[in-house]
Amino acid sequence: MSLRDLAIATTLAAPGMLVSDLVRECVRVQMPGIPFRDASGRITGKASIRHILKMTCLPDYLIQHSHMLGDGIEHLRLPEIHGREILSRTIDDFILPGLPRVNSSAPVSKALAIMEKEDTTYIFILDGDEYHGAISIMSLAQHLLTEAARP
């Protein structure tokens, strides 16, 4: 089976897209991020929910010292998470350059190897600038279960 057959179709993020629209699309397709197409029409990066939450909700010192924090940290003054404010922003300031990608003719093992190398759980299927969709560890696991259930 080709990666193209396993790809889950997603929309492409674009300049000016709202964070709320990104989140809705990611939830719809069960992917943590989607590719970003710049104003010239090229896929140049990705829009990631994880990255947006990191940039808007987590101060760097909290990440660096997370191993020392206990579960009861209410006494720390952390920035409040303002959901409506975050969702109403555009994704423009949060685009990550580059993206994990693999050609549709590559075997699943190559896609998995790239995901491991890039420390991610999802990868985009592209042939040049032609985007076919994304696969994730979870979508591959679902495919394994489906195939195993066949007689």
Side-chain angles (χ1 to χ4, degrees):
M1 173 149 300
S2 80
L3 291 176
R4 195 172 184 171
D5 295 332
L6 296 173
I8 296 168
T10 72
T11 60
L12 293 169
M17 182 181 204
L18 295 177
V19 170
S20 60
D21 293 330
L22 170 72
V23 171
R24 278 188 198 92
E25 176 63 4
C26 290
V27 168
R28 182 185 74 80
V29 297
Q30 294 296 294
M31 288 290 165
I34 58 176
F36 175 76
R37 179 182 286 159
D38 66 16
S40 69
R42 296 202 55 227
I43 295 174
T44 58
K46 73 176 178 178
S48 161
I49 293 174
R50 177 182 173 189
H51 182 66
I52 291 171
L53 292 175
K54 176 184 172 190
M55 299 306 293
T56 59
C57 303
L58 288 174
D60 286 338
Y61 69 85
L62 187 61
I63 296 167
Q64 288 177 329
H65 304 294
S66 62
H67 64 284
M68 296 188 304
L69 298 173
D71 292 333
I73 60 171
E74 294 81 18
H75 62 283
L76 291 177
R77 293 266 178 198
L78 301 176
E80 291 291 322
I81 298 174
H82 300 286
R84 285 189 185 123
E85 179 184 325
I86 294 167
L87 292 171
S88 67
R89 293 179 67 175
T90 66
I91 62 169
D92 298 7
D93 293 332
F94 303 113
I95 300 305
L96 292 165
L99 67 162
R101 63 191 305 164
V102 67
N103 189 285
S104 67
S105 63
V108 172
S109 56
K110 180 174 181 177
L112 287 169
I114 293 171
M115 284 191 267
E116 282 301 314
K117 181 179 180 205
E118 298 290 328
D119 192 26
T120 186
T121 59
Y122 61 110
I123 192 167
F124 303 108
I125 313 303
L126 287 110
D127 293 326
D129 282 333
E130 184 182 358
Y131 175 62
H132 301 293
I135 60 170
S136 70
I137 295 297
M138 296 307 289
S139 67
L140 289 174
Q142 179 61 56
H143 176 71
L144 285 172
L145 287 172
T146 302
E147 287 299 309
R150 289 192 173 154

